[in-house]
Amino acid sequence: MNGVSATARWTAAARADETRRDDALFTDELAGELAGPEGFARYERYANPGTTEFLAIRTRYLDEVIGRSAALTQVVLVAAGLDTRSVRLAWPSGTVLYELDHADLVDWKEKRLAELGARHACERQAIGTDLTGPWDGLLRAAGWDSSVPTLWIVEGLLFYLPEDDARTLLARLASLSAPGSVLAGDLLSHQSMVSEFTQDGLRRLHEDGCPWLWGTDDPEDVLTTSGWTVQEVKVPGEDGASFGRWPWPPLPRGTKGFPMNFLFTTSV
């Protein structure tokens, strides 16, 4: 796997760590097997105060968006990584879940899930592609219908892309979306790129070939100018983005010098 694809391993390790908690925000029984020793080693290397909590909150937040969007039976995980929502969530009858990611990661994941005897709770299509290229043709060939409203989940991806590529992807998702479609995901603040508290972690990510490349302190502007109507943007600790797990008060928007993540839900 390339550096960015390999980040899926440590995210899986974080989900495995959460699953072991008595007060787990979700349960992912396959996460530890998918993470493997490399994933747990990377998890230990990258984890900083707030990282573990945010990854758990992000997963739970997006799980809840999916639960609230049950009427949208066409769901696309953009950069699915080693996500196992196809197995661990209860999906409405007729749901088709499309998973997009790098081909090497998709191939490895398919093989490993088969070895683990994974049983999917919905129809699922896994598609290997480059998300900065013309991937929508492959999505259509797999059965996705642009005339049907879609739930798009873009989790843990946008800050690994250059700003132009991230904005282009968001705009492409909007242009492909039928009225009633929803996009949910996360963005990183620009402060996270320049804060003294993140520099050691940024250095390690760069050394491992998976640097953060972009963040914004104005997520509403990014989403709106990309064609989306913002329903909500939350920071960890706010109601609906805490789940009793965030240990600090939410940072006020515009706070300088401190890293911040955003969780968002938008529509067209």
Side-chain angles (χ1 to χ4, degrees):
M1 297 183 192
N2 64 33
V4 173
S5 290
T7 64
R9 293 276 190 92
W10 80 270
T11 306
R15 288 195 291 266
D17 188 51
E18 178 68 18
T19 297
R20 290 193 288 263
R21 293 178 61 110
D22 292 336
D23 60 347
L25 299 185
F26 57 88
T27 301
D28 186 344
E29 299 293 351
L30 297 176
E33 294 288 350
L34 292 172
E38 178 188 347
F40 286 101
R42 284 176 176 261
Y43 179 49
E44 183 175 348
R45 176 167 166 78
Y46 301 146
N48 291 311
T51 300
T52 298
E53 292 85 355
F54 175 70
L55 291 175
I57 289 168
R58 182 179 73 185
T59 300
R60 174 65 176 269
Y61 175 86
L62 294 173
D63 283 355
E64 293 204 350
V65 172
I66 291 169
R68 294 194 301 267
S69 306
L72 300 178
T73 56
Q74 186 169 252
V75 181
V76 181
L77 303 184
V78 183
L82 297 178
D83 179 273
T84 63
R85 288 186 172 96
S86 64
V87 176
R88 65 180 183 80
L89 295 185
W91 295 93
S93 176
T95 298
V96 183
L97 179 67
Y98 299 90
E99 297 189 7
L100 306 177
D101 217 311
H102 290 292
D104 57 349
L105 179 58
V106 169
D107 291 345
W108 184 90
K109 180 180 179 181
E110 293 305 281
K111 178 182 177 181
R112 193 73 184 101
L113 287 177
E115 292 171 347
L116 295 170
R119 300 184 66 177
H120 304 286
C122 60
E123 182 182 342
R124 174 177 172 272
Q125 298 287 336
I127 302 164
T129 188
D130 179 355
L131 289 166
T132 63
W135 49 265
D136 51 292
L138 293 173
L139 187 60
R140 295 176 195 276
W144 177 80
D145 186 347
S146 61
S147 69
V148 176
T150 299
L151 171 60
W152 308 94
I153 302 293
V154 57
E155 181 178 15
L157 169 66
L158 295 169
F159 44 88
Y160 287 113
L161 301 177
E163 180 175 357
D164 286 349
D165 287 346
R167 289 178 177 270
T168 296
L169 177 61
L170 288 169
R172 178 175 291 173
L173 294 174
S175 70
L176 292 171
S177 294
S181 295
V182 172
L183 168 71
D186 64 310
L187 284 163
L188 188 73
S189 69
H190 173 68
Q191 296 305 308
S192 299
M193 303 294 294
V194 299
S195 171
E196 64 178 298
F197 302 109
T198 59
Q199 295 311 299
D200 186 57
L202 288 171
R203 176 185 57 78
R204 294 180 184 185
L205 289 165
H206 182 79
E207 289 172 352
D208 294 347
C210 47
W212 292 349
L213 297 177
W214 170 70
T216 176
D217 292 335
D218 193 351
E220 288 87 354
D221 178 72
V222 169
L223 294 165
T224 300
T225 57
S226 298
W228 294 96
T229 299
V230 175
Q231 303 301 318
E232 65 178 21
V233 175
K234 294 183 177 291
V235 301
E238 291 183 332
D239 185 38
S242 178
F243 309 107
R245 182 58 53 79
W246 193 251
W248 306 284
L251 281 172
R253 292 287 295 274
T255 301
K256 301 295 184 181
F258 287 88
M260 184 180 295
N261 298 85
F262 305 107
L263 295 165
F264 65 83
T265 302
T266 64
S267 62
V268 293

